[in-house]
Structures are given as C-alpha cells and as structure tokens.
Amino acid sequence: MPTYFTIVGIKITYFSLLLVIGAAAGTGLAVWRISRRGLPPGVLLDALPWVLLGGVVGARLFHIFSPPRSMVMRGLTTRYYLTHFYDALAIWKGGFDIYGAVVGGILALYFFTRIKDMKFYSWADAAAPGACLGQAISSWGLYFNQELYGKPTRVPWAIQIDPAYRLEGYQEVAYYHPLFLYFSLWSLVSLAFLLGMERIRKKN
C-alpha cells in the first residue's frame, strides 16, 4: 500500500496530509462555533499553535512510552525511541496515540486560558466538536500507515494488512478489523452527540 505521493519532487505522506486536513477542518468548525457565541475567534487562532503542539507532543509521548504491538514487532519499542532521538522526533513516519493527543491538547488549552485569564470551560465547550471532527478525519492517516487494526476477521469491510505490518503469529492472515475506521465513526458519533445535546440545551 502506498504511504505517500510526490508533487514537484516533494514527498507528502498521506498520514501528514490527513493530519493537516483534520486539524484545518476541526479549527474551522471551532472558529465558526466561537464566532456564533460572540467570543473573539482571534483568541482561538492565537491558542491554536499551542493546542496543536500540545496535541502532537502528547500523542507522540504516549506512543513512545506505550507503543502498540504492531510497532513493537517492528522493533519500535520504548527503548529504541529513547536511544534513537531522530526517530523519536520523526512524526511524519507515523506513531501517534489519540489519547495522548487529547490529553496534550486539553492541557495546552488549559494553560493558555489560565495565562490569558479566560474561562477554560467556555472555550473547551466551544472547541470540543471541532476536536471530534479533526479526529474523525486524521484517523484515516493510520490506515495508510497500517498502524491501527484489530483482530483477524472475514467481515465485508475488513482491511488487508501487508505482511511487514502483521503481528507475530499472524503472518499468513491478511484481513483484519479496521480499528481506525471504528474510531473515525465513533468520533463522528461523538460530534453528533455534542451538537445534539447543545441543541436540546438551547431549546430548554
């Protein structure tokens, strides 16, 4: 499976592209929601670099200290990352954990609002649906990196994993549950839930 394409000689990975698209879509939704609430959207744009940095750092650290089995089988263990500084920083090669991204992004937003003397919960509430949208899109990057898949299966929507990315003992098994897809759909469900609850709250 191809993991990148080139434009005028520049190598662009699908993982990085989807990460950028997800971040842009999530930010756009958050800015729109903040503007409708009468809050200054410019403040969110000021906070965005910090939130993105916090999310990337959190996602990478979580991955480094708790790499999935599929990465461990390829030799990408915590010990490896701690002794290979360049590879630990090579986020364009993949290796993110969504839980770490959420925690890192929330912490960054929290400290930003504290520094700016703003109400954290108001901004977090406005930005949360955007985070769900961004996760729903960016998680598809894991499909191209073949990082997030489940147990072997024969369901019609199963995905094929290349032999190099299969876990030990499953080299002869080609099709697996697409966990990245399940996570993407769950993020969309979470998005719909948050927007639905907000609409119900306004009606009451």
Side-chain angles (χ1 to χ4, degrees), residues 113-114 116-124:
T113 54
R114 287 294 300 271
K116 296 294 184 178
D117 194 25
M118 300 183 301
K119 293 182 178 180
F120 166 74
Y121 294 106
S122 296
W123 289 90

Side-chain angles (χ1 to χ4, degrees), residues 67-133:
R69 285 186 60 196
S70 58
M71 304 294 277
V72 171
M73 295 306 300
R74 292 160 55 190
L76 300 177
T77 63
T78 299
R79 181 182 180 86
Y80 175 85
Y81 282 123
L82 295 180
T83 55
H84 294 76
F85 187 68
Y86 173 79
D87 287 333
L89 295 178
I91 59 176
W92 54 89
K93 294 182 179 180
F96 281 85
D97 189 283
I98 190 60
Y99 300 111
V102 172
V103 172
I106 290 175
L107 286 175
L109 180 61
Y110 173 77
F111 286 114
F112 180 86
T113 54
R114 287 294 300 271
I115 293 173
K116 296 294 184 178
D117 194 25
M118 300 183 301
K119 293 182 178 180
F120 166 74
Y121 294 106
S122 296
W123 289 90
D125 182 62
C132 292
L133 178 60

Side-chain angles (χ1 to χ4, degrees), residues 19-102:
L19 193 65
V20 170
I21 293 175
T27 301
L29 177 58
V31 169
W32 177 73
R33 284 170 52 76
I34 286 172
S35 299
R36 293 192 63 186
R37 294 186 177 199
L39 298 172
V43 175
L44 177 64
L45 296 180
D46 291 337
L48 182 61
W50 299 100
V51 174
L52 290 178
L53 179 62
V56 170
V57 171
R60 190 60 174 176
L61 287 176
F62 204 103
H63 169 79
I64 288 175
F65 288 101
S66 60
R69 285 186 60 196
S70 58
M71 304 294 277
V72 171
M73 295 306 300
R74 292 160 55 190
L76 300 177
T77 63
T78 299
R79 181 182 180 86
Y80 175 85
Y81 282 123
L82 295 180
T83 55
H84 294 76
F85 187 68
Y86 173 79
D87 287 333
L89 295 178
I91 59 176
W92 54 89
K93 294 182 179 180
F96 281 85
D97 189 283
I98 190 60
Y99 300 111
V102 172

